């Protein structure tokens, strides 16, 4: 049974994985046997990432690539095929958030979030798909969000992007299933990473709010995402397609605590 979760001989590309959720998922896929490839938007971060992976005993292959730049993405995928091997597993992790009230948010800010969080995964998925098809199949995991299902103040662009990413996941799953490519998503709850650091500052009201909204009563850690990622990257999920696996400590199942 455990062999179903083996990624031995597979090449995994995790975007935006110099740190944070992406790095944690990369470590998990390495632990299951995959060769790790990652990109980040600047050379300094890529070098820092390579060093960080090395400290974990992982020989990761790092590339400088902006996921919104089609030319850079196709060049990166071609280089990976030559230098490492055809991408078998893609984790579309790279993403940003802008917390600005909608009425104050410029169209430029809105477009930037959509570009990175939604168009980027489309571009990278399109770039790796031909290699997966030629290889007889592959796995694509899109990192969605609570905001793929819920809204809240100040994150209109992010919610629109992550809601779109949920539907892009379902659509590509339908288009590419005949090629034995399974496209699924992971929807993390509120996870302690640099992206949410502003919300976790001591005394920040959001910190207590999230604890109250999460039945598990805690912020998630990047470790909480590792098992689900290995599952969706492995043969154990070969008949799972178009599914968003929420790893949220129960947030989406919860109506909320009765006021005392
Ligand atoms: P993070 O700490 O901000 O890391 C995001 C990574 O993406 C960084 O390495 C960043 O590089 C990279 N990136 C940004 N724009 C890029 C671009 N255009 N091309 C390539 N790389 C780019 O975020 P995180 O908390 O680890 O989140 C990772 C993913 O999980 C994101 O998609 C996020 O939306 C999602 N998520 C996070 C949470 C959470 O609670 N943390 C929950 C649900 C979903 P730079 O440092 O150079 O910008
Ligand atoms: C926010 C947070 C969230 C998390 C995550 C939740 O400001 O609400 O940043 O959006 O990043 O996406 O799943």
């Amino acid at each position: 049974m455990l062999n179903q979760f083996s990624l031995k001989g597979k090449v995994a590309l995790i975007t935006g994985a110099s740190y944070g959720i992406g790095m944690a998922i990369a470590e998990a896929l390495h632990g299951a046997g995959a060769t790790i490839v990652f990109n980040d938007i600047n050379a300094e971060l890529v070098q820092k990432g390579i060093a960080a992976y090395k400290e974990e005993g992982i020989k990761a292959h790092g590339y400088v690539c902006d996921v919104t730049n089609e030319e850079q993405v196709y060049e990166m995928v071609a280089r990976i095929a030559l230098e490492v091997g055809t991408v078998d597993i893609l984790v579309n992790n790279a993403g940003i958030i802008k917390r600005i009230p909608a009425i104050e948010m410029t169209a430029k800010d809105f477009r930037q979030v959509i570009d990175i969080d939604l168009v980027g995964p489309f571009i990278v998925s399109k770039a790796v798909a031909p290699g997966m098809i030629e290889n007889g199949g592959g796995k694509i995991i899109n990192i969605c969000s609570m905001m793929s299902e819920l809204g809240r103040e100040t994150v209109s662009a992010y919610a629109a992007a992550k809601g779109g990413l949920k539907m892009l996941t379902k659509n590509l799953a339908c288009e590419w299933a005949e090629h034995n490519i399974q496209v699924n998503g992971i929807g993390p709850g509120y996870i302690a990473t640099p992206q949410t650091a502003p919300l976790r500052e001591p005394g920040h009201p959001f910190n207590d709010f999230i604890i109250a909204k999460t039945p598990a009563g805690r912020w998630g850690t990047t470790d909480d995402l590792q098992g689900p990622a290995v599952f969706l990257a492995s043969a154990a999920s070969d008949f799972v397609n178009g599914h968003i696996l929420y790893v949220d400590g129960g947030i989406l199942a919860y109506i909320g605590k009765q006021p005392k």
Side-chain angles (χ1 to χ4, degrees), residues 16 18-22 39-42 45 65-68 93-96 116 143-145 158 162 188-191 193-196:
S18 297
Y19 56 87
I21 287 174
N39 72 295
D40 223 308
I41 202 161
N42 69 54
L45 262 179
C65 175
D66 176 345
V67 295
T68 66
N93 166 78
I96 66 166
I116 294 168
I143 305 301
C144 296
S145 162
Y158 184 82
K162 294 298 188 180
Y190 279 82
I191 312 294
T193 72
Q195 191 244 51
T196 54

Side-chain angles (χ1 to χ4, degrees), residues 18-136:
S18 297
Y19 56 87
I21 287 174
M23 173 166 269
I25 288 178
E27 288 169 355
L29 301 187
H30 177 265
T35 298
I36 298 306
V37 183
F38 74 100
N39 72 295
D40 223 308
I41 202 161
N42 69 54
E44 187 191 349
L45 262 179
V46 169
Q47 288 313 314
K48 275 185 181 171
I50 289 172
Y53 281 112
K54 192 176 178 185
E55 276 178 29
E56 298 292 324
I58 300 172
K59 180 184 178 306
H61 304 262
Y63 294 84
V64 178
C65 175
D66 176 345
V67 295
T68 66
N69 183 315
E70 276 195 286
E71 192 180 336
Q72 286 184 21
V73 169
Y74 278 83
E75 184 187 331
M76 172 180 71
V77 171
R79 280 188 61 199
I80 293 168
L82 279 175
E83 297 166 4
V84 186
T86 303
V87 174
D88 302 294
I89 301 160
L90 167 64
V91 181
N92 282 307
N93 166 78
I96 66 166
I97 191 167
K98 288 179 183 283
R99 301 183 182 96
I100 306 168
I103 206 153
E104 295 167 24
M105 181 178 271
T106 64
K108 184 177 178 223
D109 278 329
F110 191 92
R111 286 194 181 99
Q112 187 187 7
V113 175
I114 297 288
D115 211 17
I116 294 168
D117 294 10
L118 178 56
V119 180
F122 171 71
I123 292 171
V124 185
S125 300
K126 217 159 62 81
V128 303
M132 289 182 173
I133 291 169
E134 195 177 321
N135 262 6

